[in-house]
Amino acid sequence: MMTRKNHRPKPLTPDARLGRVPYAFRHTSAPLGWHGLRVEYDTRQPASEIVHPPLECLWVVLTGKIFPERTDHRCDDARHNGDGLPHAVNLLPPGIESQWRWRNTSDFTDSTHYQLSPALVAKVAEEAFDLDPSQVHFPVHYYDQSSPEVIHTLTALRNELITGGPGGRLCAESLANVLVVQLIRQMSNRQDLNGDIRGSGGRLPRHALRAVEDYIHANLDQNIALADLADIAQLSAFHFARLFKQTTGLPPHQFVIHQRVERAKLLIVEGQLSLAQIALAVGFSDQSQLNRHFKRLVGVTPKRFT
């Protein structure tokens, strides 16, 4: 058992953690402004042994194609001894110290680290399931492959990170809400949550949808946040995202991408701006991002469209 019963160290924030682990991350969501989660990838961890301090967040690690071999992981009463598994989930609750030991035949392990804030987990527990957050607990999981849905969402967040966050805060924060729902349903101590989400069904009121669309059109060049749209609709972020998709047929971040492409089409026809300028004017990070989404939705590149 690796938990210290006395003088337990103070749980670390995502920023403080970076100074306490003996490896660096090539990709981090820290500069992207994602609210409620931190994602880090490409740890380049050589064979090692560390005692990991407790974190204030729910900590999830998704292994990749290159995974730890000859491992010995311990956290509270949970232990894994043996080879790791590819594309598997390790989950550790907040406030728990853990020990990790591994050896590899390759130079480094390939994994993605996710930290989900207690505030986000509590909010989703209340809004999606009408649960008292203090009653939702997560046991330790090592190399869990039982939930393809969780692995798919973790992978989508990883891809969003390593491509530079092209979907913006709106995409990442929507995926984070989905991820917490899946984790509560499938990896928490609440095993009775396989039915419908509380308040499922319904549509956004027409006036709320119009106000949200007006805001999106006025701020296409900005990094729109899920919370901003939810506030306009006077709903929680979780319920807004669900009702918006049921009303429009698209999740909020995909709707925004569609509107950016439509605005780009108008600007291309006007012919006053270069494609690089148009990309920035409609909220894409660069021309290549404009090209990718434009080709996907219109069928031709912006240059061919002209």
Side-chain angles (χ1 to χ4, degrees), residues 186-305:
Q186 301 179 40
M187 292 190 170
S188 77
N189 63 331
R190 302 300 298 247
Q191 298 300 314
D192 56 335
L193 298 176
N194 294 318
D196 290 337
I197 291 173
R198 180 171 72 96
S200 60
R203 296 168 64 87
L204 277 178
R206 184 174 301 177
H207 71 277
L209 178 61
R210 185 182 304 113
V212 168
E213 289 177 335
D214 288 345
Y215 178 87
I216 290 172
H217 292 148
N219 293 275
L220 275 180
D221 61 334
Q222 302 298 310
N223 193 3
I224 298 171
L226 181 63
D228 295 336
L229 301 184
D231 286 345
I232 292 168
Q234 297 185 328
L235 291 167
S236 69
F238 175 81
H239 284 303
F240 167 76
R242 179 179 53 79
L243 290 179
F244 188 90
K245 183 175 181 180
Q246 289 174 182
T247 304
T248 66
L250 292 170
H253 71 278
Q254 287 293 341
F255 182 87
V256 170
I257 288 173
H258 277 69
Q259 301 311 304
R260 286 174 171 156
V261 169
E262 289 302 311
R263 177 75 59 81
K265 288 164 67 176
L266 295 176
L267 293 175
I268 290 170
V269 171
E270 289 178 2
Q272 301 299 310
L273 300 174
S274 69
L275 290 179
Q277 291 172 320
I278 289 173
L280 297 179
V282 302
F284 290 122
S285 60
D286 52 36
Q287 186 177 335
S288 65
Q289 194 179 109
L290 167 64
N291 290 343
R292 182 169 64 254
H293 289 298
F294 200 98
K295 177 70 179 298
R296 177 173 63 87
L297 296 178
V298 182
V300 297
T301 64
K303 187 174 292 187
R304 289 288 300 275
F305 183 77

Side-chain angles (χ1 to χ4, degrees), residues 17 52 55 57-61 90-92 98 100 113-114:
R17 171 183 183 248
H52 198 291
L55 301 176
C57 299
L58 182 65
W59 181 26
V60 181
V61 179
N90 297 281
L91 183 149
L92 282 81
S98 56
W100 302 76
H113 296 226
Y114 309 77

Side-chain angles (χ1 to χ4, degrees), residues 109-125:
T109 59
D110 171 24
S111 59
T112 313
H113 296 226
Y114 309 77
Q115 295 173 74
L116 298 159
S117 73
L120 175 63
V121 175
K123 194 171 184 180
V124 173

Side-chain angles (χ1 to χ4, degrees), residues 19 27 37 42 48 50 60 65 69 100 113-114 123 140-141 161 165 201 254 299:
H27 301 277
L37 78 158
D42 192 7
S48 185
I50 65 170
V60 181
K65 294 180 181 179
E69 298 174 356
W100 302 76
H113 296 226
Y114 309 77
K123 194 171 184 180
V140 177
H141 291 259
L161 171 68
Q254 287 293 341

